[in-house]
Amino acid sequence: MLADPCPRFFRFCGKHTRPLLFLLLATSVSAQAPQVRPMQADGVVRLLNDIETAVGANDVDGLLELTASTLPAAELALFVSASFLEGQTSAAVRERDRRPEGTGYSLMVEMLIARGRAGRIATWQLLVQPKADEPSRYVIAGATSIASVEGLVQLQLDVNKQYSPRNLVFTSLGLTVQLSSGAVFLAPAADGTTGLMFRGRGTMRFAPEDAAEQVQLRAFNGKPDLENEIEAAFIRINPDDFASSIASSRLVPVETDTDDVDKARELFDQLSSQSYTLNLGDLSTERWSLLPPRGDVLVELRTKKFGTLTYLRSSGDPEDISLFDRERGRNISVYASPEQLASRGRYYSEDDTALYDVLNYDVDAHFDPEREWISGRGSLRLRTRREGMTTLSLRLARSLAISSISSPTLGRVLGLRISGRSSVLVSLNKPLPINTELELDIAYSGRLTSQDVEREALSVSPDDLQNPFTLGSDLPVPPEPRYLYSNRSYWYPQAPITDFATASLRLTVPAQYQVVASGS
């Protein structure tokens, strides 16, 4: 289905199972990025600064002074108790939304509260009103908890303690890592240790139990398993699993060496940021990450022959064991563990493991093709498939920034980006029963490079382009610039699992462009 010759937008509705895509065709365009209005330093901003100061200084009385006498006692108690952790060391408070309400405003506020290297994020809806005796100052007259994310950790190596491995062996399903000699440093968390950084001499062996994966490895490696020497390894696990996975008797304390510390830090900075790391935007410039769930394992292996390989055991995935080559962007092996097979059988549908089904997509996006800039709003109407669901994940290209996530029924909800990935974690403000229909509206914008048209496109040889007699002959002329976006580029918010859903696209482009979209 083609658009009119010179449309302002093209609208598409229909069932889809294959990627939604469209081409933008034209010669030139100019546009400017949307301007962000600076926050006005008014009484509301002063109030939020005072809240941040009081919470960061563990000053409960100071926070109470910022509340109105009309604030309900239950809301006051919840807000105060949630704003303070035992021994907390810092806080950040940021305004996300402001709407007039009565004589004051309804604010959406995000708070990052830290206790050393442990932290939590909370989203609050605050009703603020002018003080009766000082109208230029505001106080909190209402406080409603929207969502929170617990268990954040500011990952950092403990370089004050160095260990030497005494033939330390770490095992996970399909993987054996032996650390023979070198330097080991640990990354602590609030309740134990979550990371181990090794540099030295060791070996790794990946031997999948699955016969089909052994065939896959033979094609890759010439053998049904993969064994190689390693120069470095970074192991990330839940603190509750550390003691049972890594024998402390195999870690011998030694005197710290400056050269070992510097090289371990460099490797740690490279490898630790690959997974579980959050992008908190203006809440913090520090690197914060989530703790791996119990039973999950991440191992980054710097091998001599194959470069850096990533082993992952993720209990939430149907195929929970994987070995990935990051540098070449390819899976070496992906399969289901015996435990997963026992729980669901060898044959399964992705739908069986999905937390939710998308019923409809509604995308309204504006394009500046020359700058490859997208700004839009994507709505998903979904139905929950698990009882008591409180979090869900979406996919959106990592170069696209999210300005808000909201729901007509739940209001504003908390969304967190995973650094370096297209994943978005959405935290809901209450558990949802199974078969609940929910609509999420995501506002986003940013620059997204278009995809190659690949084999579907007409190609012109360099000789044809240089031939002055090409024009007017039967030879092809150079094609106009075109811009292609499909599901592969995650140009609109979508579910992690592709499934049947209705969809409506409203795509706005400059007048000299055309839009072509698939569908019916």
Side-chain angles (χ1 to χ4, degrees):
M1 180 182 293
L2 299 179
D4 293 333
C6 296
R8 285 296 296 176
F9 63 84
F10 174 79
R11 188 169 179 85
F12 154 80
C13 295
K15 283 281 188 178
H16 75 276
T17 53
R18 302 186 61 188
L20 298 171
L21 59 89
F22 57 92
L23 288 164
L24 305 177
L25 311 176
T27 54
S28 65
V29 68
S30 61
Q32 295 184 357
Q35 300 296 310
V36 179
R37 183 175 61 87
M39 185 66 68
Q40 185 179 359
D42 55 12
V44 173
V45 175
R46 292 173 61 187
L47 171 63
L48 297 181
N49 288 336
D50 290 342
I51 293 174
E52 180 176 287
T53 300
V55 175
N58 257 325
D59 184 2
V60 177
D61 292 336
L63 182 62
L64 292 175
E65 291 177 359
L66 303 175
T67 62
S69 58
T70 56
L71 177 62
E75 295 182 19
L76 173 62
L78 181 60
F79 182 64
V80 172
S81 63
S83 299
F84 295 95
L85 299 173
E86 182 180 354
Q88 72 185 48
T89 53
S90 65
V93 180
R94 299 291 182 268
E95 178 182 343
R96 299 305 184 210
D97 189 40
R98 181 190 302 195
R99 299 176 183 177
E101 184 164 334
T103 59
Y105 298 95
S106 175
L107 307 179
M108 193 64 62
V109 173
E110 286 182 0
M111 301 174 64
L112 170 64
I113 302 170
R115 180 185 61 193
R117 290 192 292 270
R120 66 188 297 267
I121 294 177
T123 303
W124 289 87
Q125 183 176 342
L126 301 181
L127 174 62
V128 299
Q129 295 177 340
K131 293 182 68 174
D133 57 345
E134 193 177 355
S136 63
R137 304 297 295 266
Y138 284 79
V139 289
I140 303 169
T144 303
S145 176
I146 300 300
S148 65
V149 176
E150 311 286 341
L152 301 185
V153 60
Q154 196 176 23
L155 215 57
Q156 188 175 7
L157 277 185
D158 183 359
V159 296
N160 296 315
K161 297 178 182 179
Q162 182 173 337
Y163 302 89
S164 175
R166 181 187 295 166
N167 288 323
L168 174 64
V169 177
F170 175 83
T171 62
S172 185
L173 283 174
L175 178 70
T176 302
V177 180
Q178 183 170 2
L179 311 181
S180 303
S181 61
V184 172
F185 296 89
L186 303 180
D191 301 318
T193 301
T194 185
L196 180 149
M197 185 71 245
F198 163 78
R199 177 182 170 273
R201 294 181 54 191
T203 58
M204 61 82 64
R205 180 173 182 265
F206 180 71
E209 300 86 349
D210 191 282
E213 292 305 309
Q214 294 175 10
V215 175
Q216 179 80 5
L217 274 181
R218 190 180 291 278
F220 173 78
N221 185 45
K223 298 188 299 182
D225 61 0
L226 190 152
E227 189 169 356
N228 199 233
E229 295 182 3
I230 62 171
E231 302 170 328
F234 176 64
I235 301 173
R236 186 80 193 277
I237 56 180
N238 187 280
D240 292 339
D241 298 330
F242 189 88
S244 59
S245 302
I246 298 175
S248 60
S249 60
R250 296 293 180 179
L251 293 175
V252 181
V254 296
E255 185 176 350
T256 56
D257 180 88
T258 304
D259 186 54
D260 286 337
V261 168
D262 292 341
K263 292 179 178 177
R265 275 178 169 161
E266 181 180 358
L267 282 168
F268 178 79
D269 289 341
Q270 294 173 7
L271 300 178
S272 65
S273 61
Q274 301 285 351
S275 303
Y276 298 114
T277 303
L278 298 173
N279 181 357
L280 300 186
D282 59 353
L283 275 174
S284 176
T285 58
E286 304 293 339
R287 183 189 299 166
W288 288 89
S289 67
L290 296 166
L291 288 175
R294 290 203 62 177
D296 285 12
V297 176
L298 170 77
V299 185
E300 302 281 1
L301 298 160
R302 185 72 58 86
T303 70
K304 287 191 174 182
K305 182 177 180 181
F306 303 107
T308 301
L309 303 179
T310 301
Y311 168 90
L312 180 64
R313 182 181 184 186
S314 177
S315 56
D317 295 332
E319 295 179 308
D320 54 332
I321 308 295
S322 65
L323 187 67
F324 183 69
D325 184 343
R326 286 191 189 274
E327 295 176 5
R328 297 169 182 83
R330 62 180 177 179
N331 284 317
I332 298 173
S333 177
V334 181
Y335 67 100
S337 66
E339 289 88 344
Q340 286 284 59
L341 291 176
S343 65
R344 62 163 173 81
R346 177 165 292 277
Y347 303 102
Y348 73 99
S349 168
E350 285 186 324
D351 292 344
D352 297 336
T353 60
L355 293 177
Y356 62 91
D357 282 332
V358 176
L359 306 177
N360 182 71
Y361 291 96
D362 191 351
V363 181
D364 186 351
H366 295 244
F367 290 83
D368 179 352
E370 188 176 74
R371 295 176 60 246
E372 295 186 307
W373 184 272
I374 301 176
S375 61
R377 182 175 296 274
S379 296
L380 295 83
R381 182 165 55 87
L382 57 91
R383 180 185 293 120
T384 62
R385 300 190 54 167
R386 298 293 173 86
E387 187 67 36
M389 192 176 77
T390 57
T391 60
L392 57 88
S393 62
L394 303 171
R395 289 190 183 277
L396 183 68
R398 60 187 181 183
S399 63
L400 299 177
I402 296 176
S403 56
S404 69
I405 304 178
S406 61
S407 166
T409 54
L410 301 180
R412 183 78 174 262
V413 296
L414 174 63
L416 295 175
R417 295 301 303 254
I418 306 298
S419 295
R421 297 179 62 186
S422 59
S423 300
V424 181
L425 296 179
V426 179
S427 180
L428 308 176
N429 55 16
K430 64 179 181 179
L432 298 182
I434 191 171
N435 292 326
T436 298
E437 287 198 13
L438 174 69
E439 184 173 332
L440 291 177
D441 298 319
I442 299 96
Y444 62 97
S445 62
R447 185 178 183 274
L448 183 62
T449 303
S450 64
Q451 300 167 235
D452 292 332
V453 182
E454 300 175 334
R455 60 189 177 92
E456 286 84 4
L458 176 68
S459 61
V460 181
S461 71
D463 292 338
D464 288 337
L465 292 176
Q466 298 297 324
N467 187 347
F469 301 104
T470 296
L471 294 177
S473 70
D474 294 332
L475 295 176
V477 297
E480 293 180 324
R482 67 267 191 197
Y483 303 84
L484 171 67
Y485 297 93
S486 75
N487 274 12
R488 277 174 37 191
S489 63
Y490 303 125
W491 63 273
Y492 65 95
Q494 55 194 269
I497 297 175
T498 302
D499 195 6
F500 287 94
T502 57
S504 175
L505 304 181
R506 188 177 191 273
L507 310 175
T508 304
V509 297
Q512 64 268 40
Y513 284 78
Q514 289 186 346
V515 179
V516 180
S518 64
S520 61

XYZ file of all heavy atoms in Angstrom, residues 13-66:
400
model
N -3.327 0.663 9.358
C -3.983 -0.146 10.372
C -4.081 -1.570 9.858
O -4.431 -1.777 8.716
C -5.394 0.353 10.688
S -5.448 1.979 11.443
N -3.814 -2.529 10.730
C -3.995 -3.910 10.316
C -3.279 -4.872 11.222
O -2.566 -4.491 12.130
N -3.465 -6.166 10.989
C -2.744 -7.209 11.704
C -1.309 -7.257 11.202
O -1.045 -7.069 10.020
C -3.407 -8.575 11.463
C -4.686 -8.776 12.268
C -4.362 -9.138 13.692
C -5.605 -9.545 14.468
N -5.290 -9.940 15.836
N -0.384 -7.553 12.091
C 0.984 -7.732 11.625
C 1.675 -8.831 12.411
O 1.474 -8.999 13.594
C 1.795 -6.437 11.734
C 2.210 -6.093 13.125
N 1.384 -5.436 13.995
C 3.359 -6.340 13.793
C 2.012 -5.280 15.139
N 3.202 -5.817 15.050
N 2.474 -9.600 11.697
C 3.365 -10.562 12.336
C 4.791 -10.284 11.909
O 5.721 -10.534 12.648
C 3.005 -12.002 11.938
O 2.960 -12.087 10.511
C 1.655 -12.388 12.502
N 4.974 -9.758 10.702
C 6.296 -9.402 10.228
C 6.597 -7.966 10.641
O 5.706 -7.200 10.991
C 6.363 -9.546 8.715
C 6.037 -10.965 8.248
C 6.263 -11.110 6.781
N 7.662 -10.864 6.449
C 8.101 -10.783 5.187
N 7.272 -10.915 4.191
N 9.377 -10.548 4.947
N 7.888 -7.560 10.578
C 8.242 -6.218 11.030
C 7.482 -5.124 10.291
O 7.335 -5.177 9.073
C 9.746 -6.140 10.731
C 10.203 -7.561 10.723
C 9.042 -8.343 10.175
N 7.004 -4.155 11.036
C 6.459 -2.955 10.430
C 7.633 -2.142 9.912
O 8.616 -1.950 10.611
C 5.717 -2.127 11.467
C 4.506 -2.781 12.139
C 4.055 -1.907 13.282
C 3.390 -2.979 11.152
N 7.568 -1.666 8.667
C 8.673 -0.878 8.157
C 8.133 0.171 7.208
O 7.022 0.084 6.704
C 9.729 -1.741 7.457
C 9.278 -2.596 6.254
C 9.407 -1.786 4.970
C 10.112 -3.851 6.181
N 8.959 1.182 6.962
C 8.573 2.160 5.966
C 9.827 2.817 5.429
O 10.889 2.787 6.029
C 7.627 3.222 6.537
C 8.172 3.962 7.703
C 8.852 5.141 7.514
C 8.007 3.479 8.983
C 9.359 5.830 8.595
C 8.510 4.168 10.062
C 9.194 5.345 9.870
N 9.711 3.390 4.225
C 10.800 4.091 3.576
C 10.436 5.555 3.460
O 9.302 5.896 3.136
C 11.029 3.528 2.171
C 11.663 2.141 2.077
C 11.453 1.601 0.676
C 13.134 2.225 2.383
N 11.405 6.423 3.704
C 11.223 7.847 3.458
C 12.095 8.196 2.262
O 13.286 7.923 2.265
C 11.666 8.664 4.671
C 11.011 8.310 6.009
C 11.607 9.159 7.102
C 9.515 8.516 5.933
N 11.497 8.768 1.216
C 12.214 9.037 -0.017
C 12.180 10.531 -0.312
O 11.113 11.125 -0.338
C 11.584 8.282 -1.187
C 11.314 6.782 -0.972
C 10.601 6.214 -2.183
C 12.609 6.049 -0.726
N 13.361 11.167 -0.531
C 13.366 12.576 -0.892
C 14.779 12.998 -1.237
O 15.688 12.186 -1.356
C 12.809 13.444 0.220
N 14.958 14.320 -1.344
C 16.268 14.818 -1.714
C 16.895 15.651 -0.621
O 18.075 15.556 -0.356
C 16.171 15.671 -2.992
O 15.181 16.694 -2.784
C 15.721 14.807 -4.155
N 16.136 16.503 0.063
C 16.728 17.328 1.106
C 15.655 17.808 2.050
O 14.490 17.894 1.700
C 17.455 18.543 0.504
O 16.520 19.388 -0.130
N 16.077 18.165 3.258
C 15.156 18.676 4.256
C 15.978 19.349 5.326
O 17.147 19.037 5.529
C 14.303 17.541 4.882
C 15.148 16.637 5.716
C 13.166 18.110 5.725
N 15.383 20.281 6.046
C 16.073 20.900 7.181
C 15.094 21.055 8.317
O 13.935 21.376 8.100
C 16.645 22.270 6.801
O 15.595 23.141 6.419
N 15.556 20.774 9.512
C 14.716 20.900 10.699
C 15.613 21.069 11.896
O 16.799 20.791 11.857
C 13.821 19.682 10.868
N 15.049 21.520 12.976
C 15.797 21.728 14.207
C 15.307 20.777 15.270
O 14.154 20.360 15.268
C 15.641 23.167 14.693
C 16.252 24.189 13.730
C 16.154 25.581 14.290
O 15.590 25.795 15.349
N 16.714 26.540 13.575
N 16.210 20.422 16.165
C 15.834 19.548 17.270
C 14.890 20.275 18.197
O 14.954 21.496 18.350
C 17.082 19.119 18.045
N 13.976 19.549 18.816
C 13.072 20.194 19.757
C 13.843 20.826 20.900
O 14.812 20.260 21.399
C 12.194 19.038 20.245
C 12.878 17.794 19.835
C 13.745 18.119 18.683
N 13.437 22.019 21.274
C 14.115 22.741 22.340
C 13.540 22.369 23.704
O 12.328 22.264 23.862
C 13.974 24.262 22.127
C 14.581 24.735 20.806
C 16.078 24.504 20.761
O 16.797 24.872 21.680
N 16.552 23.878 19.691
N 14.420 22.148 24.658
C 14.004 21.825 26.006
C 13.925 23.099 26.825
O 14.897 23.852 26.906
C 14.998 20.839 26.664
C 14.559 20.535 28.090
C 15.088 19.570 25.839
N 12.768 23.355 27.375
C 12.585 24.572 28.164
C 13.299 24.437 29.498
O 13.098 23.458 30.221
C 11.096 24.828 28.405
C 10.817 26.121 29.172
C 9.320 26.366 29.253
N 8.630 25.304 29.953
C 8.473 25.284 31.281
N 8.956 26.264 32.025
N 7.822 24.302 31.856
N 14.204 25.352 29.858
C 14.898 25.243 31.134
C 13.934 25.357 32.302
O 12.935 26.062 32.229
C 15.886 26.423 31.104
C 15.298 27.394 30.119
C 14.579 26.558 29.103
N 14.240 24.642 33.357
C 13.399 24.660 34.539
C 13.491 26.023 35.225
O 14.573 26.546 35.466
C 13.837 23.558 35.512
C 12.927 23.421 36.723
S 11.276 22.855 36.264
C 11.648 21.185 35.741
N 12.367 26.602 35.505
C 12.331 27.912 36.140
C 12.632 27.782 37.625
O 12.120 26.897 38.311
C 10.953 28.540 35.939
C 10.846 29.965 36.459
C 9.473 30.533 36.201
O 8.628 29.873 35.633
N 9.267 31.770 36.603
N 13.509 28.637 38.120
C 13.890 28.599 39.534
C 12.817 29.302 40.366
O 12.984 30.413 40.841
C 15.250 29.271 39.732
N 11.675 28.628 40.534
C 10.571 29.214 41.271
C 10.454 28.548 42.631
O 11.335 27.806 43.082
C 9.273 29.080 40.467
C 8.999 27.624 40.082
O 9.662 26.719 40.614
O 8.100 27.399 39.252
N 9.318 28.808 43.309
C 9.133 28.259 44.640
C 9.088 26.741 44.666
O 9.500 26.115 45.637
N 8.572 26.125 43.607
C 8.517 24.663 43.560
C 9.918 24.075 43.468
O 10.256 23.101 44.152
C 7.655 24.196 42.362
C 7.739 22.687 42.204
C 6.214 24.640 42.535
N 10.760 24.669 42.624
C 12.144 24.196 42.507
C 12.871 24.359 43.839
O 13.634 23.473 44.258
C 12.870 24.952 41.378
C 14.346 24.562 41.329
C 12.204 24.690 40.039
N 12.614 25.464 44.525
C 13.240 25.671 45.845
C 12.784 24.600 46.829
O 13.582 24.090 47.629
C 12.891 27.062 46.374
C 13.528 28.207 45.588
C 13.005 29.546 46.047
N 13.306 29.798 47.453
C 12.829 30.843 48.134
N 12.004 31.688 47.534
N 13.160 31.022 49.399
N 11.504 24.227 46.768
C 11.002 23.183 47.656
C 11.711 21.858 47.382
O 12.127 21.160 48.320
C 9.494 23.017 47.467
C 8.859 21.812 48.174
C 9.001 21.934 49.690
C 7.390 21.658 47.782
N 11.849 21.487 46.121
C 12.509 20.227 45.792
C 13.980 20.245 46.214
O 14.515 19.229 46.669
C 12.383 19.939 44.296
C 10.945 19.746 43.775
C 10.960 19.439 42.293
C 10.231 18.647 44.540
N 14.631 21.384 46.072
C 16.012 21.497 46.554
C 16.079 21.309 48.063
O 17.001 20.664 48.588
C 16.601 22.848 46.165
C 16.892 22.959 44.684
O 17.082 21.940 44.008
N 16.935 24.173 44.171
N 15.091 21.867 48.774
C 15.067 21.719 50.236
C 14.798 20.268 50.631
O 15.358 19.766 51.609
C 13.991 22.636 50.837
C 14.358 24.112 50.733
O 15.546 24.407 50.533
O 13.445 24.961 50.832
N 13.917 19.583 49.874
C 13.668 18.157 50.149
C 14.951 17.359 49.948
O 15.318 16.512 50.773
C 12.551 17.622 49.229
C 11.213 18.281 49.569
C 12.434 16.106 49.359
C 10.091 17.920 48.602
N 15.660 17.636 48.854
C 16.914 16.919 48.585
C 17.937 17.163 49.690
O 18.626 16.225 50.132
C 17.476 17.367 47.233
C 18.778 16.704 46.847
C 19.243 17.113 45.465
O 18.637 16.651 44.488
O 20.222 17.893 45.365
N 18.023 18.398 50.152
C 18.967 18.715 51.222
C 18.616 17.984 52.513
O 19.486 17.403 53.177
C 19.003 20.228 51.468
O 19.404 20.903 50.267
C 19.960 20.582 52.586
N 17.337 18.006 52.883
C 16.911 17.361 54.124
C 17.112 15.851 54.070
O 17.632 15.239 55.002
C 15.451 17.704 54.422
N 16.702 15.230 52.966
C 16.828 13.771 52.848
C 18.294 13.372 52.772
O 18.722 12.403 53.401
C 16.043 13.266 51.615
C 16.275 11.775 51.404
C 14.554 13.553 51.786
N 19.078 14.120 52.004
C 20.500 13.797 51.884
C 21.259 13.940 53.185
O 22.246 13.234 53.410
N 20.794 14.828 54.055
C 21.458 15.043 55.345
C 20.842 14.221 56.466
O 21.200 14.401 57.635
C 21.410 16.531 55.706
N 19.893 13.331 56.134
C 19.203 12.520 57.143
C 18.501 13.394 58.174
O 18.434 13.061 59.362
C 20.193 11.578 57.852
C 20.093 10.158 57.353
O 18.996 9.708 57.017
N 21.211 9.459 57.292
N 17.970 14.508 57.726
C 17.330 15.486 58.604
C 15.813 15.293 58.547
O 15.121 15.925 57.737
C 17.728 16.899 58.169
C 17.183 17.982 59.094
O 16.528 17.642 60.096
O 17.408 19.170 58.788
N 15.282 14.430 59.411
C 13.852 14.158 59.416
C 13.062 15.405 59.790
O 12.034 15.719 59.171
C 13.524 13.000 60.368
C 12.016 12.759 60.429
C 14.250 11.729 59.948
N 13.536 16.122 60.812
C 12.838 17.341 61.227
C 12.805 18.374 60.104
O 11.804 19.078 59.924
C 13.511 17.935 62.463
C 13.333 17.055 63.694
O 12.354 16.285 63.723
O 14.171 17.145 64.620
N 13.898 18.452 59.369
C 13.946 19.386 58.245
C 12.933 19.035 57.176
O 12.328 19.926 56.571
N 12.712 17.738 56.943
C 11.715 17.333 55.966
C 10.306 17.627 56.470
O 9.435 18.069 55.713
C 11.867 15.840 55.643
C 10.909 15.280 54.587
C 11.121 15.972 53.247
C 11.077 13.772 54.433
N 10.071 17.406 57.768
C 8.749 17.670 58.335
C 8.382 19.143 58.220
O 7.208 19.486 58.048
C 8.713 17.227 59.797
C 8.806 15.714 60.036
C 8.877 15.429 61.534
C 7.621 14.990 59.407
N 9.371 20.004 58.300
C 9.106 21.439 58.175
C 8.640 21.817 56.774
O 8.091 22.909 56.575
C 10.359 22.230 58.525
C 10.741 22.150 60.006
C 12.037 22.903 60.293
O 12.623 23.453 59.330
O 12.453 22.932 61.458
N 8.855 20.921 55.804
C 8.460 21.203 54.419
C 7.085 20.648 54.094
O 6.665 20.662 52.938
C 9.496 20.605 53.455
C 10.937 21.079 53.647
C 11.873 20.319 52.713
C 11.051 22.588 53.425
